[in-house]
Amino acid sequence: MAKRDGDETEVPVVTGRRDFMKGSVAVGAGIVGVGALALREEGRDALSRVFGVSEARAASGEGHLSNEVPPGKLDDYYGFWSGGQSGEIRILGVPSMREIKRIAVVNRDSATGWGRDDWSMKLIGGLSSGDTHHVHLSYTDGTYDGRYVYVNDKANARLARVRCDIMECDAIVDIPNSQGTHGIFPQRNKTGLVLCNAEFRTPQPNDGRDVDDPSKYGAMHTAIDGETMQVKWQVLVEGNMDLCATDYQGKYSFATCYNSEGAVTLEGMMAADRDWLYVFDIPAIEKAVKAGRTIKVGDGSVPVVDARGENGPYVQRIPIPKSPHGVNIDPTGKYAVCSGKLSPTVSVVDIRKLDDVFAGKIKPRDAVVAEPEVGLGPLHTAFDGRGNAYTSIFIDSVITKWNIDKAIQAFDDPSVDPIVQKIDVNYQVGHTNASMSETREADGKWLIALCKFSKDRFLNVGPLHDENDQLIDISGEKMRLVHDGPAYPEPHDCVVVRRDIINPEKIDPRTGPRYAFYEKMAKEDGVKLFEDSKVVRKGKGKVRVYVTSVAPAYALTEFRVKSGDEVQVIQTNLDGVEDLTHGFCMTNHDVNMVVNPRATNSITFTAGKPGVYWYYCPWFCHALHLEMRGRMIVEA
Ligand code: RUQ
Ligand code: CUA
């Protein structure tokens, strides 16, 4: 095979390799059974040590994009990053890779009080942790409509939604009969369903039965209405489900399955040479739900279509080698690209053939029209809108650029080489995504490689390392690495959205369930939130303290409560100036919340021992910000 640009398999081996990589590669090689891998990695790493980033630059030799965004200038794209075990969503500017915002979703956030203030604490059900993996925006007509961001919480089987007008979470829904909700994807024809995959097979229902009989376990493909955030229906299948995707028509949804074996151990899950891509026929499922051809599982609140076992009208299983992970739909909507993970291939499924698969005219495997070899450990694929695909390769630590049409030709004609280029990434890339890649408007400018290990790429900060989210220019024929972006653990995925699509408000419009909550409270107490500051006794042991704020003062500079009272502070910020945020911190009571301009927020706590406690504004709002405070006097 000819040596390709960026494919360093033929460079001489140089020793002096870090021990870490040896260990990691040994594990990877053990799993896929490729012993020579450690040597390949040694060679590549030595080369990139000598040449560094300039290697990629030198390889380019053509006009390219600048990622420099000078002071005072704005980025071209909003990047939405999931926060992984931080439980957040983050917004980065692309291409500068500046982190602009963290949106607390299923985590507690000391800065804003998210998860601690009354409304958000109720919303997240009092939990304090989560694991956000996949962020996707709502769609209309095959592209982003700028309304919502959806994200899964793998840890607690939930789907959350963030409103793009205020960049705040407004809904979190528990997904029944599910554990490890992993892949999610919204329909792309309209803001319709959000499909969610349960990664872990469990007894159904999971009430103590069948615990020792994994052959009876199953997993749910769940449809949630993206507008109302209600769970509509579930489909029960026998295998597990990993990543999720939808077509552009609103007809099919997809789930990769790496455990068609139904095993509960690593060896067992790796046994079969081929697992599946599950294909779900959404109209057929909805018909069955309407006709009542469903079963009850658990509390029975959600209709379940039982599709375990054989291929049928609701679900078809397309054989894919081997323990597939990512499934991504190209911007033309014709192809679903499944990454083999333990096979060095990606499988290209022609979505136009799926009607024939469901009709029984062709075999499921006949929908596979290409299977190019892209490298060891392929995980996810992005697209440039020019017919090229970019697959992240975990074990090889590269992004492989390949041409879809050529891969289809190569399926019949092995003399065709679909691989365009491989570029080193640092190190062990998981997800990759490109600007507008998951829409009809994929523009082929920037690619992000979300690398799981950063190792030596940043200053040594101790045992816990950041991840390394790398920025790659894909505007030319050759990919070009331009930036290393440290990311606090552990973003899994990102989407990169043209900035004209996202238009948030600068002042809180006071809409949605959060405001219904405060208005109800104020009405109950005969209080006008924008006018009144007063203490309202709510019977024995309960006090509500309404307070307004204008920089640099609270309208109440003291209030009195009894020790042991449950105190609820409801603060309304009268300042209407952009960026003039206040907040409320009660010293020594674990109480801290943000109150944005023209917004209301509330927080509840138990008044401590008798004495004086200062409350203060934690957001630097004025030259006299430090004076913005008052006393809670606690009486015996
Ligand atoms: S998965 S590294 Cu949680 Cu998105 Cu593929
Ligand atoms: Cu208000 Cu600081």
Side-chain angles (χ1 to χ4, degrees), residues 133-134 154 182 199 242-243 325-326 379-380 429-431 452 492-493:
H133 278 220
H134 299 114
K154 176 170 170 173
H182 191 212
E199 184 178 340
D242 199 9
L243 271 294
H325 183 58
L379 293 182
H380 297 279
V429 60
H431 272 272
K452 298 293 187 190
H492 280 250
D493 197 4

Side-chain angles (χ1 to χ4, degrees), residues 187 193 195 221 223 233 245-247 250-254 279-289 313-314 358:
Q187 288 188 300
L193 302 173
L195 288 311
H221 186 64
W233 44 259
T246 60
D247 67 0
K251 179 161 190 191
Y252 294 117
S253 57
F254 305 90
V279 184
F280 298 87
D281 183 330
I282 294 171
I285 291 161
E286 296 198 316
K287 234 180 177 177
V289 169
Y314 313 123
F358 273 92

Side-chain angles (χ1 to χ4, degrees), residues 97-112:
M97 301 292 277
R98 296 178 292 194
E99 183 182 292
I100 305 169
K101 184 162 192 161
R102 296 182 169 201
I103 305 169
V105 181
V106 290
N107 55 310
R108 261 185 79 164
D109 178 30
S110 175
T112 59

